[in-house]
Amino acid sequence: MDITRQIVSRRNEALLVGDYGLYRKQLSRRLLTINQRLGRASPKGRKYAAKAPISAQDVTSNSEFVVLLLLTAERAWAHALHMKSMHSADSSAKDITGSTRTHIISRLHKAQQTAAHLVEVLLSSKDDQEISHILLEARAYYCMLLGSSCFESQKWENCLNAYSEAHLLYKWLAKSRGTNQGDPFSELLSSTVDPSIRYAAYQLRLPRTLSITTIVSRYLSRDDEYVREVLKQDPDLLKEGSLTTKRSSDENTKDLPKTISWRSRTVDIEDANIAQALAAVSIAEQKLTSSLSSISEQPVKERAGSYDEILLPSQDAVNATKTAIDELTADGVAQGDQRMQGLQITRTAVNYALVGWRVGRNRILCGRGDGAHLDPDLRKRPRKPREDGEEAAPPTESKGKRVARLRERVALYDTILQSLDSVKELPGVAADQVFLEELGTKRSYFSSLRCLAIARSHDIAGNIKNGLALYARALNLSSNPALQTTSDGPFEKPLNIEVTKSQAISLHHLLEGLVAQQRALVEIENLSAVAARSEKVTAPGSNPMIERLDEYPANGADLSDLVIYPPRLRPIPVKPIFLDVAWTYIDYPGRAKKGQGVANGATQAVVEKLEEKKEGKKGWFGFGR
């Protein structure tokens, strides 16, 4: 059972389309299902009854008890992060204090206690004395939650102790599992553990020049049995990072960049930390280029994961630049000073490069052609072979799954557009009108892709008119003349924020075909509607509706022909004179006939007899009829 993989996959799936509140709801529904399956759920209509704690025997008999403890800890953690994110979204709010902070710490403490109970149960259920991988994963998860609790409580030293052990365990697990299976551990290290270690070290006033490995080795508890077991299997685990850093630093001292260029300006790099970080970025870019070329046929998630190798050094370059600016500001250096101006240009350059790599990673996740092509999902194939021996075709993807994939792409496009908007806030960007126009061109390209994804979702749902409007909007955005005049970059270079001419032209041609196709579909629908309406009008008995109230309109009532207005002169049927004379002797339709055996001449005889008969007084008071 992979504890870490379950955690990372559940978090990514929930946070991609929602927030921590949605993640908490999903966990609650999953916990209810597992409790019902294990017979631990309270029946409806009865009061809640406390359940017995999960023991080692329960875990040995059914592994779902491990999932139950794991999801319980995750739900408490998601609750705390949801409250914290809601407070952070309020721009007018200050630091979290009072009952809200206490509630957040309480939820994290509950998550930590549940994870500790999971470690205890797994430790009691194992038969041999050797520490297994699942136990190390559970211990690392517990240390990560303990570090989060200490982080919110602002106990920085305890936070470093917990996160140092989590860093060591996750690093060893990633190394032992290999490249493909170690991705969840590396993701937790880069997204949660290492940034928290950096911040806690900053709060303890540790020098920024210290590496993560140095901080971990200083605050790691060597008496812990898990730490001893890991270091016993790999004694160089704590030395590897620092040695590698030192070796790479010595090898590239002569190759450190001396200057950095941004647009038409070039400034000198005076800070050694910034120069080392930029050198690391250059090396990581070369590795990324070779890595992408070797795994070009791999799934998009694996190719996007290769960008982590360059995102980390790029973030280090941004942090080093910010630290240098803060130091000069603390020393009282004016903003007009040449050193400050050079650092501001460097800050803009390194931040733009970081945004570019983030955008490139999201473009890889969007799929082929930046998500312009909706390729079928071929990951799932039938297990049983066909009777004729041929390869079985993959099952048809449902509409809901296709719409869900398009929703994920829209979320990625929104992230890209937010990244482009954040570039405008960098120093010196607002005054560069040409650069702002280039940003607008890139924004039009990704906005066109976003409209294309939304249009496809409407098309799948059957709203072809809405789809046509969105396709036309996407075509209008892609028709930006500046997109057609962009230059083509090197094809072997990894994707970043830059949009080439071939990419823009390919998207434009695709949208032209889709708009023409969608217009044809809308025209067919309109012609079908007109034909159906004409059938109603030309149907037999096409009098106004007021004269056909006894007819049921099976295809819907035609409200455009209620009455004839203005009224015109036309004949109106009335009673014939014959009916006034012989109304008593007429057999109307629907009434039983009288005198079935009487011949047809009977009516004529009766009429002659009436003429010969002497008229008498009829009616009341002698008045005739």
Side-chain angles (χ1 to χ4, degrees), residues 485-530:
T485 58
T486 55
S487 60
D488 280 332
F491 292 99
E492 66 274 3
K493 189 176 180 180
L495 284 177
N496 53 14
I497 199 173
E498 302 299 331
V499 180
T500 63
K501 181 179 179 180
S502 59
Q503 293 169 347
I505 293 178
S506 175
L507 175 63
H508 185 72
H509 290 340
L510 174 64
L511 288 172
E512 285 181 340
L514 289 175
V515 168
Q517 176 185 356
Q518 202 72 6
R519 281 176 177 169
L521 293 175
V522 172
E523 185 66 22
I524 291 173
E525 185 183 25
N526 292 337
L527 291 176
S528 301
V530 171

Side-chain angles (χ1 to χ4, degrees), residues 71 125 190 194 198 200 217 249 257 372 392 440 466 475 489 545 603 625:
L71 297 187
S125 62
S190 61
D194 290 353
R198 279 293 183 193
S217 61
S249 177
N466 295 345
L475 180 61
M545 182 177 289
T603 304
R625 181 176 175 80

Side-chain angles (χ1 to χ4, degrees), residues 576-596:
I577 298 178
F578 176 75
L579 297 180
D580 285 344
V581 175
W583 66 278
T584 309
Y585 307 98
I586 297 298
D587 292 328
Y588 293 96
R591 292 176 57 184
K593 294 183 179 180
K594 297 180 181 179
Q596 298 265 348

Side-chain angles (χ1 to χ4, degrees), residues 138-178:
R139 176 68 181 182
Y141 179 64
Y142 160 72
C143 292
M144 187 173 62
L145 293 180
L146 177 60
S148 300
S149 179
C150 296
F151 189 95
E152 294 299 329
S153 303
Q154 299 182 0
K155 299 176 181 178
W156 305 117
E157 189 168 353
N158 296 338
C159 176
L160 276 181
N161 293 333
Y163 274 126
S164 297
E165 185 175 350
H167 175 91
L168 180 72
L169 296 179
Y170 279 135
K171 188 175 181 180
W172 184 83
L173 288 169
K175 185 178 179 181
S176 61
R177 292 292 181 89

Side-chain angles (χ1 to χ4, degrees), residues 311-434:
L311 287 174
L312 292 177
S314 299
Q315 184 64 51
D316 290 339
V318 171
N319 294 338
T321 307
K322 184 178 182 300
T323 302
I325 293 175
D326 293 341
E327 290 176 356
L328 289 183
T329 304
D331 293 340
V333 179
Q335 293 293 328
D337 189 87
Q338 184 178 359
R339 293 174 296 170
M340 184 66 75
Q341 291 292 321
L343 285 176
Q344 294 290 357
I345 294 174
T346 305
R347 178 188 175 188
T348 302
V350 296
N351 276 279
Y352 183 73
L354 176 61
V355 169
W357 295 123
R358 287 176 178 171
V359 170
R361 184 178 186 273
N362 290 334
R363 291 174 71 178
I364 291 289
L365 289 173
C366 288
R368 183 167 62 95
D370 294 333
H373 304 278
L374 186 60
D375 297 328
D377 190 1
L378 302 178
R379 291 178 297 175
K380 295 183 179 180
R381 290 180 175 271
R383 297 181 180 178
K384 296 182 180 180
R386 292 176 52 173
E387 296 180 357
D388 53 5
E390 296 182 1
E391 184 180 358
T396 305
E397 192 176 11
S398 63
K399 292 183 178 180
K401 290 185 178 180
R402 283 187 289 170
V403 171
R405 287 202 292 135
L406 290 170
R407 189 182 298 115
E408 293 177 1
R409 290 188 183 181
V410 171
L412 291 172
Y413 293 137
D414 289 337
T415 304
I416 292 174
L417 294 176
Q418 290 175 5
S419 300
L420 291 175
D421 292 338
S422 67
V423 174
K424 299 178 181 179
E425 302 175 1
L426 296 176
V429 172
D432 194 343
Q433 191 63 31
V434 178

Side-chain angles (χ1 to χ4, degrees), residues 170-188:
Y170 279 135
K171 188 175 181 180
W172 184 83
L173 288 169
K175 185 178 179 181
S176 61
R177 292 292 181 89
T179 305
N180 295 333
Q181 296 185 2
D183 291 342
F185 308 106
S186 302
E187 185 172 346
L188 282 180

Side-chain angles (χ1 to χ4, degrees), residues 24-262:
R24 180 192 172 200
K25 293 179 181 178
Q26 291 179 354
L27 292 172
S28 298
R29 291 194 293 267
R30 182 62 181 165
L31 281 171
L32 177 60
T33 303
I34 295 177
N35 278 319
Q36 290 176 347
R37 189 182 302 133
L38 297 175
R40 295 173 60 88
S42 300
K44 291 185 178 180
R46 297 186 183 180
K47 294 183 178 179
Y48 171 77
K51 305 298 185 298
I54 298 175
S55 61
Q57 291 78 10
D58 297 332
V59 173
T60 306
S61 61
N62 195 340
S63 61
E64 280 195 333
F65 283 100
V66 177
V67 181
L68 182 64
L69 289 173
L70 184 64
L71 297 187
T72 303
E74 274 290 285
R75 183 175 63 173
W77 175 84
H79 190 188
L81 269 290
H82 176 61
M83 290 188 291
K84 188 175 179 180
S85 62
M86 292 294 292
H87 188 275
S88 301
D90 188 4
S91 58
S92 62
K94 299 180 180 179
D95 295 337
I96 303 177
T97 57
S99 59
T100 304
R101 181 170 178 269
T102 305
H103 197 185
I104 292 175
I105 296 175
S106 172
R107 293 296 89 194
L108 291 175
H109 183 67
K110 179 182 178 181
Q112 163 205 335
Q113 285 184 327
T114 308
H117 182 54
L118 174 61
V119 174
E120 181 182 353
V121 168
L122 290 175
L123 186 62
S124 303
S125 62
K126 71 183 185 66
D127 298 331
D128 53 356
Q129 298 299 326
E130 184 182 357
I131 298 179
S132 60
H133 279 255
I134 184 174
L135 186 56
L136 286 177
E137 288 189 43
R139 176 68 181 182
Y141 179 64
Y142 160 72
C143 292
M144 187 173 62
L145 293 180
L146 177 60
S148 300
S149 179
C150 296
F151 189 95
E152 294 299 329
S153 303
Q154 299 182 0
K155 299 176 181 178
W156 305 117
E157 189 168 353
N158 296 338
C159 176
L160 276 181
N161 293 333
Y163 274 126
S164 297
E165 185 175 350
H167 175 91
L168 180 72
L169 296 179
Y170 279 135
K171 188 175 181 180
W172 184 83
L173 288 169
K175 185 178 179 181
S176 61
R177 292 292 181 89
T179 305
N180 295 333
Q181 296 185 2
D183 291 342
F185 308 106
S186 302
E187 185 172 346
L188 282 180
L189 283 174
S190 61
S191 63
T192 305
V193 178
D194 290 353
S196 301
I197 291 176
R198 279 293 183 193
Y199 188 82
Y202 169 76
Q203 293 293 336
L204 291 176
R205 302 294 189 270
L206 296 180
R208 182 165 180 78
T209 55
L210 293 178
S211 63
I212 295 291
T213 307
T214 306
I215 299 173
V216 168
S217 61
R218 179 182 298 184
Y219 284 89
L220 189 63
S221 176
R222 309 286 177 140
D223 299 332
D224 188 81
E225 58 176 335
Y226 302 96
V227 175
R228 290 200 306 268
E229 180 68 23
V230 169
L231 293 178
K232 178 181 177 181
Q233 299 185 21
D234 192 353
D236 298 333
L237 193 60
L238 289 177
K239 301 178 183 179
E240 182 181 357
S242 58
L243 290 176
T244 306
T245 305
K246 183 178 180 181
R247 189 184 307 114
S248 61
S249 177
D250 293 338
E251 293 175 354
N252 298 292
T253 301
K254 299 180 181 180
D255 299 333
L256 291 179
K258 303 299 181 182
T259 60
I260 185 171
S261 299
W262 168 250

